[in-house]
Amino acid sequence: MDLRDTAALSPATAGRWRERLSTAQAFMRARRHLPGVLIEVAAQHPLADRAVPGEEFEARLRRGHELYRGYLEAGRPVEVYVPGSRHRHLGVEDENSLSRAGGEFLEKLGVPAPAVRGDDLNERYKGEAGVYGSADECFVAASYFRDGEFGTLVSVCSPAQMMRKTLHYLQFGVYPLTHTAPTPEGFHDFLYELLVAVPEVMGTDDTLQDPGSDGAERLRSDRRPSTG
């Protein structure tokens, strides 16, 4: 459905998102000649045993590894970014950052350490604020993509996350090739994404990057560990 035909958005909001889509697509066309590929594998908290990827996170990492090998075999230079600072979930604090847990998993699958990015990019682009949630993940991946010699951006996430993550990416000026890794029970609820999360991104707080963002503050308050 063309955004101009939907009654769910105001004309101003629909126009803003049409412009973002057009701008991001134009930027990606201008980068197609570059051989580099950046694959962002969306992290998932909580970690199993507070230290290693759980079932859903592992499924995404394995899909990211498949994509990595495919691009590598095609002669493309590839890097994989696994986002995510150290998290807390229901009062339990992980021992590792999501980036470290995911990166170590990829290295065990055979991805060379220099091709795996994580905490280094979290620190470079988000500093002490950390990477908490899809918007932060997309912000860091989009920033590194734009700063590097990459022509293709790939995002691996859960099926329920796909639309919201793409919207965040559009706001940051890029348009990824999105792959999903479904599992029998996912952390993200389809109805919540459809009825609450996606509308909030489209009409309320589309970046979660501003210092005064209530949504960003809620994420950090809920997920940031109390210890260093």
Side-chain angles (χ1 to χ4, degrees), residues 54-163:
E55 178 184 17
E56 189 172 9
F57 193 4
E58 182 177 324
R60 296 179 203 167
L61 290 163
R62 291 189 181 280
R63 181 62 180 135
H65 177 246
E66 292 174 359
L67 293 165
Y68 169 83
R69 292 189 60 182
Y71 281 113
L72 203 64
E73 290 170 2
R76 307 280 297 275
V78 192
E79 294 183 37
V80 184
Y81 168 52
V82 184
S85 301
R86 196 165 67 89
H87 274 54
R88 177 181 64 193
H89 181 68
L90 299 178
V92 178
E93 300 182 358
D94 288 336
E95 295 178 354
N96 292 332
S97 71
L98 301 182
S99 290
R100 179 180 177 184
E104 290 178 347
F105 188 90
L106 287 174
E107 290 179 32
K108 289 178 180 178
L109 290 179
V111 181
V116 179
R117 313 305 297 264
D119 287 323
D120 60 326
L121 297 187
N122 298 340
E123 174 65 26
R124 180 189 303 184
Y125 293 103
K126 290 299 296 180
E128 294 184 359
V131 174
Y132 291 96
S134 295
D136 289 346
E137 296 172 354
C138 295
F139 174 79
V140 174
S143 298
Y144 185 54
F145 178 85
R146 296 174 71 94
D147 289 345
E149 294 296 311
F150 298 107
T152 301
L153 174 62
V154 178
S155 177
V156 182
C157 60
S158 74
Q161 276 183 301
M162 182 176 65
M163 182 60 71

